[in-house]
Amino acid sequence: MTSTESLETQSGPRPKRGPHLVLMACYALFILASGSRAVVQIATQFDVAPFAYVLSAVAAVTYVVGWFAIRRAAYGRPRLAEVMLWVELAGVVVVGTLSLVKKDWFPDASVWSDYGGGYGWVPAALPIAALLWLHRTHDNRPVKEPSA
Amino acid sequence: MHGTLAPIAWIVVGYGIVVAVAAVVGLVLRAPRPRWLDQMAWMLEALGVVLGLGALGSLLQGHRPSSMSTHVGYLAALVCIMPVAVMSVREDRESWSSGVIAVGAIATVVVAVRLMVTR
C-alpha cells in the first residue's frame, strides 16, 4: 500500500456517487417503517403476536446494520455488507416461508411475512439489489499485480 | 381522516407520482438532477404539510382514527420524508441523487394512501 492509499484509507475518502445512495434511502425508509411498526406493536399489543412483533424488531435492527454496511461498502469496506445482506436475505426467506407454512405462529403479520408482501415485496428485493450492487462494485475493481 | 381531506390526499398521491416519474426519468437518462426537480419535491412537501395540518385539525376537532398511534406516525412521516430526502442529496447533483428523490416521493405517496386507509 502506498502512503497516499494509506492516508486515504485512514481519513476516509468520499465514496463514489452511485446506486448506493438509492439503496441507503430505501434502507432508511425501512428503518423508519419497521422500527416504528415494531415499537408501536410491542408497546400496545405484544400479547397478540409476540413472535411476529419480535421478528419485526429484528428486521428493524437488520435494516439499521444494513444501512451502515452499505455505507461502509461505499467507502471501500464491503466485508460487513457481504455478511449482513446475506443474513437479511436469509431472514426474509426463512420468515416468509414460516409465515406461509406455520400460519398459527403469525396471528399478525411481521415485516418479513409473505416475503415482505405487506410492503410490496420490497423487503425481498432490497437485499438482492444491494448484493447485485455490491458484486458489481467490488468485483470490477482492478486486480493488483503481485509485486515481483 | 375527515372526508373533506380525501381530495387533498389524492392530490398529494397524484402529484407525488408525477414527481417520482420525473425523478426516475432523470435517473434513466443519467442526467444531472435539475433544479426544477428540487422545486417539484418541495412543492410535494408543501402539499404534504397542507394535508398533515388538515389531518391534525381533524384530530383536534375530536375525530378519532381506528389506530391513533399509527395515524400520528403516518402524519409525522408525511411531513418528514421529503425534506430528509432532498437535504440528504443537496450537495450532489449527480443522476443517482434523482433516485433518492424518487424514493422519497414514492414513500410520501404510500404514506398518503395509508393515511387515508387509517382514517
Side-chain angles (χ1 to χ4, degrees):
Chain A
M1 183 182 286
T2 66
S3 58
T4 312
E5 283 172 329
S6 174
L7 274 174
E8 278 188 350
T9 309
Q10 286 168 8
S11 62
R14 265 192 75 79
K16 286 179 185 173
R17 291 158 179 177
H20 70 277
L21 291 175
V22 180
L23 288 170
M24 286 173 67
C26 291
Y27 271 82
L29 272 179
F30 273 88
I31 291 168
L32 179 71
S34 57
S36 52
R37 175 184 179 139
V39 166
V40 168
Q41 288 180 326
I42 288 173
T44 60
Q45 51 184 39
F46 184 68
D47 295 340
V48 175
F51 185 57
Y53 298 157
V54 168
L55 284 177
S56 287
V58 170
V61 172
T62 307
Y63 286 125
V64 172
V65 181
W67 188 91
F68 279 105
I70 290 171
R71 190 167 181 272
R72 280 173 64 94
Y75 277 87
R77 289 171 290 175
R79 287 276 174 240
L80 179 62
E82 283 169 0
V83 175
M84 274 314 298
L85 294 173
W86 281 111
V87 168
E88 183 189 334
L89 185 58
V92 176
V93 171
V94 170
V95 174
T97 306
L98 281 176
S99 68
L100 296 176
V101 176
K102 297 279 185 186
K103 289 186 185 297
D104 52 325
W105 290 9
F106 294 86
D108 198 359
S110 79
V111 174
W112 289 340
S113 292
D114 302 331
Y115 306 105
Y119 291 89
W121 291 280
V122 175
L126 209 49
I128 295 171
L131 280 166
L132 286 173
W133 165 75
L134 197 63
H135 285 287
R136 286 188 65 167
T137 308
H138 294 279
D139 288 352
N140 288 343
R141 283 188 305 185
V143 179
K144 284 182 182 173
E145 292 289 333
S147 54
Chain B
M1 192 192 304
H2 199 266
T4 53
L5 287 175
I8 303 172
W10 283 117
I11 290 169
V12 172
V13 170
Y15 186 73
I17 291 170
V18 171
V19 175
V21 169
V24 169
V25 168
L27 179 59
V28 170
L29 295 176
R30 299 290 174 92
R33 194 174 86 248
R35 296 276 174 199
W36 54 259
L37 187 61
D38 291 18
Q39 291 159 4
M40 286 179 79
W42 285 116
M43 188 64 203
L44 178 61
E45 170 62 13
L47 287 169
V49 168
V50 170
L51 177 61
L53 286 174
L56 189 64
S58 176
L59 288 178
L60 293 175
Q61 284 178 349
H63 175 72
R64 287 291 170 267
S66 54
S67 170
M68 179 63 86
S69 53
T70 307
H71 192 75
V72 171
Y74 284 136
L75 268 180
L78 181 73
V79 295
C80 291
I81 288 173
M82 275 320 291
V84 172
V86 175
M87 295 306 285
S88 70
V89 291
R90 68 184 181 281
E91 291 172 358
D92 182 5
R93 313 287 323 167
E94 190 246 3
S95 61
W96 282 104
S97 66
S98 296
V100 177
I101 303 295
V103 170
I106 292 167
T108 304
V109 167
V110 171
V111 169
V113 171
R114 294 294 304 166
L115 200 62
M116 282 190 281
V117 172
T118 59
R119 63 187 173 186

